[in-house]
Every structure is written in C-alpha cells, then in structure tokens.
Amino acid sequence: NAGVMQNPRHLVRRRGQEARLRCSPMKGHSHVYWYRQLPEEGLKFMVYLQKENIIDESGMPKERFSAEFPKEGPSILRIQQVVRGDSAAYFCASSPLFSDDTNGYTFGSGTRLTVV
Amino acid sequence: TQLLEQSPQFLSIQEGENLTVYCNSSSVFSSLQWYRQEPGEGPVLLVTVVTGGEVKKLKRLTFQFGDARKDSSLHITAAQPGDTGLYLCAGASTGAGSYQLTFGKGTKLSVIP
C-alpha cells in the first residue's frame, strides 16, 4: 500500500518560470493538505482540498500560487513566476476523513524547490 | 495566531542517556501530534494525544499532553543512535479549522554512539 506520493522530489526553476508540484494521496484518502517548510522554519499550512473543491486556502499567498485536486489524477500545487523566496520544501499530507486531527496525517517525502 | 515553541532547539547526547523535549504554547489545542523527520524526508507521525493529562508510551518514548492542552513533552529513555532526527510537535486548533496544524520549529536530536 503506497503512501503519499509526491513528485518530483527535487525541482530547479529559474526566476520567472512556473513550478508544478504533484501529490497523489494514499489509496482511499480524499482529503489533501499542502504545507511549506522554509529553511530553519516550521511547516506552515497552505491549503486544504477535497476532490474538485478547495476547502481552505487561507495559508496560500494571494498571488502566483494556486492548487487543485481534480476528480481524476493527483493534486497539483502551481507556482507561477517563481522568485527566490519560493525556494522551500513543499509537503503534501492526506487523510481519509474530514479534519482527522485525532488520528494524525500521513505526509509525503516532499518536493524541494530551488529557484535560481 | 497560534504559536508552538519547542525546546531545546538542538540536543546532542550520548547513547544510553535519557532526554526530554518540550512543546509549549499559550493556546489551547484540540489535539497535539508528534512527528519525526529525517533529512530529505517528510514528517512521520509518532503519536497523537487528545485528552488533557494523557500519557502515551511507544517503546522507549513517552508522550504527555498537559492538563490544559497547551503543552506537551516527549521523553526518550536510553536513547539510541537510531533516535537521531528532527522531532516536531504540531497542534490542531479547536473548532472548525482543526485540520490546520500549527507546527513548532523542531528539536534536532543527535545521539552519539
């Protein structure tokens, strides 16, 4: 039973390019959460999605960032016109239930984005 | 804004020693989770504590949730090199937004053989 799969593991983009990060939740999980970990910082919540719905995007920067979780396929975190400050590790977590905080979350191995 | 302070930030101990790391906040959480993160990997869940005063044991690891559900501690007995890693606590807020975890910055533990 595969865990949460994220790809690519490492992504290098030049300033101004677009970055697309993909997350496939665990089998049977329909709730996906994205977090960002900046160097020397804790993980920060970005967005919570269910299939075809954005439930809470309060942690997402207002510009250049978007997320989707289509009916078929992985969840995508998209960063347009990347800047050096976007360099970070981006983690995806999934859960089978809404607000499954009492059981904890399964995280993927992350995508490490480097903007040069 | 909810904050979780973890201490110490760094800890280097000899194999066989005991240690305690702390996670403190002025906010009340509906639950608190502990994760361990290896370099280049994602956080791996160790335990979730839900009830104030709750104590959970996982082999040599003992987790405690404060009575007021604002703080937690992780105690490791007879540490081993395999315990080396970054330990993160994460609190789930009360109410409708409990899916949104607030993470501490972590305690980086090194256990020297």
Side-chain angles (χ1 to χ4, degrees):
Chain A
N1 183 20
V4 177
M5 304 301 292
Q6 289 189 249
N7 65 81
R9 289 292 301 271
H10 300 274
L11 182 61
V12 179
R13 283 288 177 264
R14 295 188 183 278
R15 280 178 295 171
Q17 290 185 320
E18 179 180 286
R20 282 188 178 233
L21 288 62
R22 288 177 290 278
C23 168
S24 295
M26 283 186 71
K27 189 176 180 181
H29 287 195
S30 58
H31 302 258
V32 165
Y33 316 82
W34 285 92
Y35 284 79
R36 177 164 68 173
Q37 187 174 36
L38 292 166
E40 308 304 321
E41 293 291 324
L43 281 83
K44 303 285 187 203
F45 170 82
M46 297 182 76
V47 62
Y48 164 34
L49 309 105
Q50 295 177 21
K51 288 277 187 184
E52 300 183 283
N53 275 309
I54 298 174
I55 307 302
D56 181 353
E57 56 182 350
S58 59
M60 289 258 280
K62 293 285 186 282
E63 297 178 352
R64 303 187 296 109
F65 284 72
S66 63
E68 62 176 6
F69 190 14
K71 188 177 180 181
E72 301 290 337
S75 174
I76 306 286
L77 179 66
R78 183 182 176 206
I79 312 172
Q80 295 178 290
Q81 300 174 334
V82 295
V83 300
R84 289 230 171 101
D86 297 332
S87 295
Y90 292 82
F91 292 98
C92 168
S94 72
S95 68
L97 301 172
F98 167 77
S99 188
D100 199 12
D101 62 288
T102 58
N103 289 317
Y105 298 88
T106 303
F107 281 84
S109 296
T111 293
R112 276 134 192 94
L113 172 65
T114 303
V115 179
V116 296
Chain B
T1 304
Q2 295 179 311
L3 289 173
L4 272 172
E5 299 286 340
Q6 286 192 246
S7 61
Q9 194 175 351
F10 300 97
L11 188 56
S12 181
I13 61 170
Q14 294 288 332
E15 181 177 358
E17 291 184 348
N18 301 333
L19 67 113
T20 302
V21 299
Y22 300 93
C23 177
N24 294 296
S25 177
S26 58
S27 302
V28 176
F29 293 100
S30 65
S31 69
L32 201 133
Q33 301 162 24
W34 284 91
Y35 293 83
R36 193 172 96 179
Q37 186 178 20
E38 304 283 349
E41 296 296 329
V44 176
L45 179 69
L46 296 174
V47 79
T48 301
V49 285
V50 179
T51 307
E54 182 176 4
V55 176
K56 278 192 175 177
K57 291 195 174 187
L58 189 67
K59 296 184 180 177
R60 294 176 294 100
L61 279 60
T62 302
F63 304 85
Q64 184 161 8
F65 201 12
D67 291 341
R69 292 187 291 139
K70 293 182 179 181
D71 52 81
S72 182
S73 63
L74 158 59
H75 182 78
I76 302 179
T77 304
Q80 299 177 1
D83 296 328
T84 293
L86 179 67
Y87 289 82
L88 300 166
C89 65
S93 54
T94 55
S98 60
Y99 51 79
Q100 197 177 123
L101 297 179
T102 298
F103 278 85
K105 292 185 180 181
T107 292
K108 196 166 186 179
L109 172 66
S110 294
V111 181
I112 303 163

